[in-house]
Amino acid sequence: MEAAETADPPVAADVHAALAAIVPIVRRIVAARVPDRSTADDLVQETLVRVLAAADRIEPGMLEPYAIVTARNVVASLWREQDRHRRNEHRMVDLLAPESPDADLLAREEQSAVAQALARLSDRERATLLAHEVSGQDTRSLAAELGSTAGAVAAQLNRARARLRVEYLLASERVEPPTDRCRPVLLALSGGDRRRQREVDAARHLLECDLCARLSQPLLQRAATREDRIRIAIGSDGDIVAARQAARELASRLGFGRTDLTLIATAVSEVARNIVRFAGSGEVVVELLDHPRRGVQVVARDTGPGISDVEQALTDGYSTYSGLGLGLPGARRLMDEFAVASEVGQGTTATMTKWCGER
């Protein structure tokens, strides 16, 4: 089946105004009862999600009262959970972990993993890396010995380090990559090579391969990071919270107002929640834009069952368990631009943008 794609124009002014008017009211109600700002932000976003879900079933004039009642109920649920925790915390026992008796064994296993990783390098890579890292030889003298340039040697060292990290992780896990695509993807991630990541379609592979998804985390932490882009793997309710908090924090750097920050975070929460519910796992990528003007773009992708009728799934009030469902119309209302591409059996990608300042 061919991929289906649809885009939606900016949120209608009246809908956006109604949502924007509700946010400050909800925030005041929650803040008066919950002093912790981070927790309060989460509760505001949870309230807005519930209001959006019911918006098509209530009269427009009831939207504000419904939001107030919902906010109070969300806070009350938090209080009940905290009270239950206090009543049961006496049952918890905090024990200090004893010193591990197999520390020597673990050290030997680590040394073995390093040795196996080094053995996977070519003779040239291994000799150059050891000369530089162990013997302290600089790139200029290495270049003279190899008949090369200092820049070429530095690039070779970077590739060798990237490969060593990959092979070390594989040896530590005592696994071999299940497909021929795994090593190229892991090497592209380890080296922080975004062009190569696109060439090998690393994003899709991480959604399809559990091993590479697991190994990608330490590799990405070691690779060069970008301050204007965050990737969050989605697989549980905790990841939904992490995604919306990350989106809010990143978007705040552009000077978005508190209301727009809440709308962005809530839209991210909706698409992430639907990944967990309908696809099981996926990812959300949040990136700051400066062209054609300042804004924040969110890409949510998965390799789940896909959506057979995207246009119908984007219809307000439509709900189905064969696609992303209710969260798409809700997220579309909150953002300025929204598009979905989906193919049955292959997965879904939702791209949405919020512009900073005048629309």
Side-chain angles (χ1 to χ4, degrees):
M1 177 179 176
E2 295 293 329
E5 183 170 358
T6 185
D8 193 69
V11 178
D14 55 342
V15 176
H16 189 278
L19 293 171
I22 289 173
V23 174
I25 297 171
V26 172
R27 182 176 290 113
R28 286 197 297 271
I29 293 171
V30 174
R33 295 163 171 80
V34 181
D36 180 70
R37 182 170 178 175
S38 177
T39 302
D41 284 340
D42 280 344
L43 296 182
V44 169
Q45 291 154 15
E46 181 63 29
T47 299
L48 195 55
V49 167
R50 297 188 185 188
V51 172
L52 280 171
D56 299 314
R57 303 194 300 272
I58 60 177
E59 293 296 324
M62 288 295 296
L63 205 60
E64 181 178 321
Y66 183 81
I68 293 172
V69 172
T70 302
R72 290 172 177 168
N73 289 338
V74 167
V75 173
S77 296
L78 173 69
W79 286 344
R80 285 194 295 269
E81 176 62 23
Q82 290 179 342
D83 182 63
R84 185 192 64 79
H85 177 74
R86 282 193 297 268
R87 286 187 282 105
N88 290 280
E89 64 182 354
H90 67 281
R91 302 177 182 178
M92 301 178 185
V93 179
D94 186 16
L95 298 176
L96 294 176
E99 184 177 351
S100 175
D102 55 356
D104 290 340
L105 175 61
L106 294 176
R108 288 196 298 272
E109 289 180 348
E110 182 173 358
Q111 291 172 357
S112 175
V114 171
Q116 291 179 52
L118 284 170
R120 290 290 183 92
L121 302 182
S122 68
D123 292 341
R124 182 186 176 102
E125 287 176 325
R126 184 166 55 251
T128 305
L129 189 60
L130 291 176
H132 182 68
E133 300 291 347
V134 179
S135 302
Q137 192 170 355
D138 60 32
T139 56
R140 183 171 300 178
S141 63
L142 282 170
E145 290 181 5
L146 298 171
S148 183
T149 65
V153 170
Q156 179 184 331
L157 286 169
N158 286 335
R159 289 193 297 270
R161 292 189 191 98
R163 184 178 298 277
L164 185 66
R165 285 194 290 268
V166 170
E167 299 299 343
Y168 170 76
L169 286 174
L170 291 172
S172 298
E173 296 266 347
R174 299 181 180 179
V175 294
E176 280 296 314
T179 72
D180 293 338
R181 291 187 60 201
C182 294
R183 269 195 172 85
V185 168
L186 293 174
L187 287 172
L189 295 174
S190 182
D193 188 341
R194 296 187 66 200
R195 180 185 63 81
R196 182 59 177 158
Q197 290 169 23
R198 290 193 296 271
E199 290 176 352
V200 299
D201 199 5
R204 174 167 289 277
H205 180 74
L206 291 182
L207 297 177
E208 297 172 340
C209 178
D210 292 339
L211 173 65
C212 290
R214 186 170 74 250
L215 297 185
S216 69
Q217 298 305 308
L219 290 177
L220 290 171
Q221 289 170 5
R222 291 294 301 273
T225 58
R226 292 179 54 192
E227 294 184 353
D228 62 346
R229 187 172 186 267
I230 298 175
R231 174 184 176 274
I232 306 99
I234 304 297
S236 67
D237 288 343
D239 299 328
I240 297 172
V241 176
R244 71 190 187 196
Q245 290 177 342
R248 184 186 183 94
E249 179 181 348
L250 193 62
S252 68
R253 302 178 191 176
L254 291 183
F256 279 104
R258 293 183 67 185
T259 295
D260 277 341
L261 288 176
T262 299
L263 298 180
I264 292 168
T266 305
V268 170
S269 180
E270 282 291 86
V271 293
R273 191 188 309 274
N274 280 285
I275 288 176
V276 173
R277 180 179 298 172
F278 299 111
S281 64
E283 68 173 8
V284 169
V285 178
V286 186
E287 183 171 3
L288 300 184
L289 304 176
D290 56 13
H291 181 79
R293 60 185 189 274
R294 293 189 308 150
V296 61
Q297 183 180 79
V298 178
V299 178
R301 59 171 67 92
D302 65 66
T303 54
I307 306 173
S308 58
D309 190 335
V310 173
E311 186 174 353
Q312 185 181 29
L314 287 170
T315 303
D316 289 337
Y318 179 75
S319 178
T320 176
Y321 281 87
S322 63
L324 289 183
L326 183 63
L328 289 179
R332 183 179 58 172
R333 291 193 194 102
L334 299 172
M335 303 295 275
D336 295 327
E337 295 180 4
F338 192 96
V340 175
S342 187
E343 185 174 355
V344 174
Q346 297 297 316
T348 300
T349 298
T351 304
M352 51 190 185
T353 306
K354 190 75 156 178
W355 300 112
C356 189
E358 296 182 3
R359 295 175 182 81

